[in-house]
Amino acid sequence: MVVEDRTTVGTTVYPLSPIDIAQGDSHIMFVYFYRNRDCSRSFMPTEVLRQGFHVTTRRFSVLLGTLAQVDGRTALVEDNSRPNKPRFEEKRHEMEFSELERSEYAWRQWPQDLDTRDIAEAATSKSNTCAPLISVLLVRFSGNSGVAIRVKIRHSVLDGLGFTSFMSYWSAVTRQYRGPCSAPIELTRYRLEFDRDLLLHAVNYSPTVADIHAAEINDTAALEDSTTPQAIEPSSMHVIRFSAQALQRLRHDFGSASASVSVNDVLSVLLWRSFTRASSTSTHTRILLACDVRKRISLSPVYMGNASFPLQLSIARDQLLDRPLSEGAQLIRNSVSHVNSNYIRECLEMLEHNKPILGADEWDGDKSTFFCCTNCSRFGFYDTDFGCGTPEKVMIPHYLTTGFSIWLPTKDAGGIDVVISMLDSSFDSFCLDRELLEYGQIIL
């Protein structure tokens, strides 16, 4: 439902949807690494990058807004008279860029600033409403040998598609400033939709004002309730690479029996099985998938709000591991096929009322292995050219929670780098998983 004061001069109000609010205080963060191949003195000039950045934030004007309560609903408020200034910083580091390359961009080699979550900066509607919704840190390596650009955007404001659209526009604007042509860039491909009502109307859903706010508060309270500190087992993040050829073999070996099964279905269950095998104490296992619904309902493909809905499956550990991998892939495909308007509407209601995600069962957390897949491999990270070439590497900072994985594209087209966080006590078993190593290579 559109808030009535949306037409107020200089002010636009976008009430957030339950799936936006479910992102909490989290941010989308990626780091782009660029090498100065030609040893150019004018490599990635800071002021040109800064200028392009500010032009782009004006185009993505929601990033200049603040989060606030409007008529009982959490909303994104744009006030043209008082824009929420984004943050753009530059720092220099004594490390040569080649040191990062030799380490395969291992997190231990990163300058500390790149790998900081900066949770204190979270722009919550309950605390610091003026904290920036987007920030950029530019790290320039010794001798101008390369740069790293860390971009952090509030997840409730934009999703992965919105993030990569921002980067595409920013790089295009910057290329224009660096080139001889002063004509404006073509905006047709950057038509954007920020109105969250588009999603709600597509599935005929009307949120309950009080419950959305209550769900947000209850979720935050649950996160902050730590009266009984628990011992935390050490965990680490790792990278498993699947080449384009390996993915083709995987699809051929386990998905070819069904035309509907995708390589993503097969890779999801392969990782789920390997992760579950390494967690030997569990009796049951769960997987959480993020399903983009833009093509499943009448929703604009340039809708920039959150449109990836959770899909959770639970199964007995032995049932997952003893059956053929192909059956697990078919199970995932059958579940994904049920993500339609009815499912989305029910999911919105559960999120709004702070209920368990659809598909969750009653297994206790200490008896159930949890694994989550977020597939970002379809996004064009490696097309982000600011006029000095495409990135050598795109990676996330070291912040994933145990059991979570993010899929990123490789620089060589068609491959996938799976970034996964797992307990250190489980990693040795994971490294020896024969089924996994038949197709994937552990890089970090």
PDB file of all heavy atoms in Angstrom, residues 300-312:
ATOM      1  N   SER A 300       8.262  -6.823 -12.480  1.00  0.00           N
ATOM      2  CA  SER A 300       9.216  -6.233 -13.414  1.00  0.00           C
ATOM      3  C   SER A 300      10.607  -6.829 -13.227  1.00  0.00           C
ATOM      4  O   SER A 300      11.074  -6.988 -12.097  1.00  0.00           O
ATOM      5  CB  SER A 300       9.280  -4.710 -13.195  1.00  0.00           C
ATOM      6  OG  SER A 300      10.373  -4.144 -13.901  1.00  0.00           O
ATOM      7  N   PRO A 301      11.299  -7.150 -14.320  1.00  0.00           N
ATOM      8  CA  PRO A 301      12.667  -7.677 -14.199  1.00  0.00           C
ATOM      9  C   PRO A 301      13.651  -6.644 -13.656  1.00  0.00           C
ATOM     10  O   PRO A 301      14.769  -7.010 -13.291  1.00  0.00           O
ATOM     11  CB  PRO A 301      13.022  -8.067 -15.645  1.00  0.00           C
ATOM     12  CG  PRO A 301      12.122  -7.240 -16.496  1.00  0.00           C
ATOM     13  CD  PRO A 301      10.846  -7.080 -15.722  1.00  0.00           C
ATOM     14  N   VAL A 302      13.256  -5.368 -13.603  1.00  0.00           N
ATOM     15  CA  VAL A 302      14.132  -4.330 -13.046  1.00  0.00           C
ATOM     16  C   VAL A 302      13.620  -3.861 -11.685  1.00  0.00           C
ATOM     17  O   VAL A 302      13.954  -2.770 -11.227  1.00  0.00           O
ATOM     18  CB  VAL A 302      14.273  -3.133 -14.007  1.00  0.00           C
ATOM     19  CG1 VAL A 302      15.046  -3.537 -15.243  1.00  0.00           C
ATOM     20  CG2 VAL A 302      12.917  -2.546 -14.389  1.00  0.00           C
ATOM     21  N   TYR A 303      12.815  -4.702 -11.020  1.00  0.00           N
ATOM     22  CA  TYR A 303      12.417  -4.430  -9.645  1.00  0.00           C
ATOM     23  C   TYR A 303      13.654  -4.550  -8.761  1.00  0.00           C
ATOM     24  O   TYR A 303      14.340  -5.579  -8.758  1.00  0.00           O
ATOM     25  CB  TYR A 303      11.351  -5.430  -9.210  1.00  0.00           C
ATOM     26  CG  TYR A 303      10.935  -5.328  -7.758  1.00  0.00           C
ATOM     27  CD1 TYR A 303      10.132  -4.282  -7.325  1.00  0.00           C
ATOM     28  CD2 TYR A 303      11.344  -6.284  -6.835  1.00  0.00           C
ATOM     29  CE1 TYR A 303       9.743  -4.186  -5.998  1.00  0.00           C
ATOM     30  CE2 TYR A 303      10.960  -6.195  -5.507  1.00  0.00           C
ATOM     31  CZ  TYR A 303      10.161  -5.143  -5.091  1.00  0.00           C
ATOM     32  OH  TYR A 303       9.778  -5.055  -3.777  1.00  0.00           O
ATOM     33  N   MET A 304      13.966  -3.489  -8.004  1.00  0.00           N
ATOM     34  CA  MET A 304      15.218  -3.430  -7.262  1.00  0.00           C
ATOM     35  C   MET A 304      15.091  -3.832  -5.794  1.00  0.00           C
ATOM     36  O   MET A 304      16.084  -3.933  -5.083  1.00  0.00           O
ATOM     37  CB  MET A 304      15.798  -2.004  -7.334  1.00  0.00           C
ATOM     38  CG  MET A 304      16.192  -1.547  -8.729  1.00  0.00           C
ATOM     39  SD  MET A 304      17.684  -2.344  -9.375  1.00  0.00           S
ATOM     40  CE  MET A 304      16.972  -3.499 -10.550  1.00  0.00           C
ATOM     41  N   GLY A 305      13.855  -4.053  -5.323  1.00  0.00           N
ATOM     42  CA  GLY A 305      13.684  -4.520  -3.948  1.00  0.00           C
ATOM     43  C   GLY A 305      14.048  -5.985  -3.832  1.00  0.00           C
ATOM     44  O   GLY A 305      14.363  -6.663  -4.814  1.00  0.00           O
ATOM     45  N   ASN A 306      14.001  -6.514  -2.627  1.00  0.00           N
ATOM     46  CA  ASN A 306      14.330  -7.919  -2.414  1.00  0.00           C
ATOM     47  C   ASN A 306      13.249  -8.806  -3.028  1.00  0.00           C
ATOM     48  O   ASN A 306      12.061  -8.623  -2.759  1.00  0.00           O
ATOM     49  CB  ASN A 306      14.470  -8.205  -0.916  1.00  0.00           C
ATOM     50  CG  ASN A 306      15.762  -7.658  -0.346  1.00  0.00           C
ATOM     51  OD1 ASN A 306      16.803  -8.295  -0.431  1.00  0.00           O
ATOM     52  ND2 ASN A 306      15.695  -6.450   0.205  1.00  0.00           N
ATOM     53  N   ALA A 307      13.674  -9.738  -3.857  1.00  0.00           N
ATOM     54  CA  ALA A 307      12.732 -10.620  -4.549  1.00  0.00           C
ATOM     55  C   ALA A 307      13.194 -12.073  -4.512  1.00  0.00           C
ATOM     56  O   ALA A 307      12.710 -12.888  -5.281  1.00  0.00           O
ATOM     57  CB  ALA A 307      12.548 -10.162  -5.997  1.00  0.00           C
ATOM     58  N   SER A 308      14.137 -12.397  -3.636  1.00  0.00           N
ATOM     59  CA  SER A 308      14.579 -13.783  -3.466  1.00  0.00           C
ATOM     60  C   SER A 308      13.972 -14.322  -2.179  1.00  0.00           C
ATOM     61  O   SER A 308      14.257 -13.818  -1.088  1.00  0.00           O
ATOM     62  CB  SER A 308      16.112 -13.868  -3.411  1.00  0.00           C
ATOM     63  OG  SER A 308      16.661 -13.598  -4.680  1.00  0.00           O
ATOM     64  N   PHE A 309      13.141 -15.343  -2.334  1.00  0.00           N
ATOM     65  CA  PHE A 309      12.400 -15.878  -1.194  1.00  0.00           C
ATOM     66  C   PHE A 309      13.027 -17.179  -0.695  1.00  0.00           C
ATOM     67  O   PHE A 309      13.554 -17.964  -1.481  1.00  0.00           O
ATOM     68  CB  PHE A 309      10.940 -16.089  -1.584  1.00  0.00           C
ATOM     69  CG  PHE A 309      10.135 -14.819  -1.531  1.00  0.00           C
ATOM     70  CD1 PHE A 309      10.324 -13.832  -2.492  1.00  0.00           C
ATOM     71  CD2 PHE A 309       9.240 -14.600  -0.508  1.00  0.00           C
ATOM     72  CE1 PHE A 309       9.601 -12.653  -2.433  1.00  0.00           C
ATOM     73  CE2 PHE A 309       8.509 -13.418  -0.441  1.00  0.00           C
ATOM     74  CZ  PHE A 309       8.695 -12.440  -1.408  1.00  0.00           C
ATOM     75  N   PRO A 310      12.949 -17.407   0.617  1.00  0.00           N
ATOM     76  CA  PRO A 310      13.559 -18.608   1.192  1.00  0.00           C
ATOM     77  C   PRO A 310      12.748 -19.855   0.891  1.00  0.00           C
ATOM     78  O   PRO A 310      11.521 -19.860   0.959  1.00  0.00           O
ATOM     79  CB  PRO A 310      13.576 -18.312   2.699  1.00  0.00           C
ATOM     80  CG  PRO A 310      12.428 -17.362   2.901  1.00  0.00           C
ATOM     81  CD  PRO A 310      12.351 -16.541   1.641  1.00  0.00           C
ATOM     82  N   LEU A 311      13.465 -20.915   0.564  1.00  0.00           N
ATOM     83  CA  LEU A 311      12.867 -22.230   0.357  1.00  0.00           C
ATOM     84  C   LEU A 311      13.666 -23.215   1.196  1.00  0.00           C
ATOM     85  O   LEU A 311      14.858 -23.407   0.963  1.00  0.00           O
ATOM     86  CB  LEU A 311      12.923 -22.618  -1.121  1.00  0.00           C
ATOM     87  CG  LEU A 311      12.414 -24.008  -1.482  1.00  0.00           C
ATOM     88  CD1 LEU A 311      10.919 -24.110  -1.203  1.00  0.00           C
ATOM     89  CD2 LEU A 311      12.711 -24.332  -2.938  1.00  0.00           C
ATOM     90  N   GLN A 312      13.025 -23.812   2.186  1.00  0.00           N
ATOM     91  CA  GLN A 312      13.740 -24.683   3.111  1.00  0.00           C
ATOM     92  C   GLN A 312      13.226 -26.120   3.019  1.00  0.00           C
ATOM     93  O   GLN A 312      12.017 -26.356   3.024  1.00  0.00           O
ATOM     94  CB  GLN A 312      13.591 -24.178   4.552  1.00  0.00           C
ATOM     95  CG  GLN A 312      14.375 -25.008   5.553  1.00  0.00           C
ATOM     96  CD  GLN A 312      14.499 -24.346   6.906  1.00  0.00           C
ATOM     97  OE1 GLN A 312      15.594 -24.082   7.366  1.00  0.00           O
ATOM     98  NE2 GLN A 312      13.384 -24.072   7.556  1.00  0.00           N
TER      99      GLN A 312
END
